[in-house]
Amino acid sequence: MDNQQERLTLAYLAGIVDGEGWVGISRNVNKGRRAGFALLPQISIHMVGPEPIEHMDSLFRSVGLPSYIQHSLARGTSRWNVVGVKRVRRVLEVLLPYLYIKRRQAVLVLEYCDSRLGRPYGEAVNERDLEIREQVCALNTKGKNPQRLYAELA
């Protein structure tokens, strides 16, 4: 794939993440951790039907990015997902120049990923990690966020 085609593909993927996706840090119960939970960076796109998600999966793979899909036959939905510090960081670094709506979430999640990668594996969650998660959650809150209402797009 040539550079122009790759840039167009990345811009398209970023647009889908902006419009249909979720960029955040989930809190998973993990009794093996000192805090009793783990924070996990994640990017996901959830849609009805498998076709759009399979198309997304093929596009992400075509530009060398990690990709994972899940189908729920009972609900008739599909989800594209990238989970984990290294994988999420890799995807966000490439999509960041093209993100608009989810840019602030992406910057915060990248900060979290860089912080985690700079510390030993298994080290306890610190206050800044929790602050970053809280800020990302606030940006992702439906209906109460001016960003979602396009009041302060910058």
Side-chain angles (χ1 to χ4, degrees):
M1 190 178 300
D2 67 6
N3 284 340
Q4 183 178 7
Q5 182 63 42
E6 187 172 305
R7 286 191 308 272
L8 287 171
T9 299
L10 292 172
Y12 174 79
L13 292 170
I16 297 294
V17 170
D18 263 346
E20 298 289 334
W22 183 83
V23 177
I25 302 170
S26 59
R27 183 176 188 249
N28 297 348
V29 174
N30 184 337
K31 296 186 188 218
R33 299 279 180 162
R34 284 183 228 159
F37 64 90
L39 298 180
L40 200 58
Q42 184 173 327
I43 309 165
S44 63
I45 302 166
H46 200 171
M47 293 182 168
V48 175
E51 293 85 5
I53 293 298
E54 288 172 358
H55 180 63
M56 298 293 302
D57 180 61
S58 70
L59 289 174
F60 272 97
R61 291 177 188 277
S62 76
V63 292
L65 293 173
S67 186
Y68 178 73
I69 57 175
Q70 298 170 293
H71 300 292
S72 172
L73 297 177
R75 294 183 177 170
T77 61
S78 296
R79 178 175 23 195
W80 173 87
N81 220 13
V82 174
V83 179
V85 174
K86 291 178 184 176
R87 287 183 293 269
V88 167
R89 184 180 189 282
R90 186 167 165 218
V91 171
L92 289 179
E93 276 185 325
V94 173
L95 294 185
L96 187 63
Y98 306 100
L99 289 172
Y100 186 68
I101 306 297
K102 303 284 190 318
R103 185 175 192 79
R104 289 169 32 193
Q105 290 95 319
V107 168
L108 287 165
V109 172
L110 277 170
E111 180 186 340
Y112 171 77
C113 290
D114 289 341
S115 170
R116 289 303 299 176
L117 289 170
R119 301 192 312 250
Y121 179 78
E123 185 175 299
V125 173
N126 64 33
E127 283 301 313
R128 180 61 186 146
D129 295 340
L130 295 173
E131 288 171 11
I132 291 171
R133 181 178 184 273
E134 193 173 299
Q135 290 174 359
V136 172
C137 286
L139 289 169
N140 286 333
T141 301
K142 293 181 181 177
K144 297 180 182 174
N145 182 356
Q147 179 187 5
R148 283 186 154 287
L149 301 174
Y150 308 103
E152 60 177 52
L153 291 177

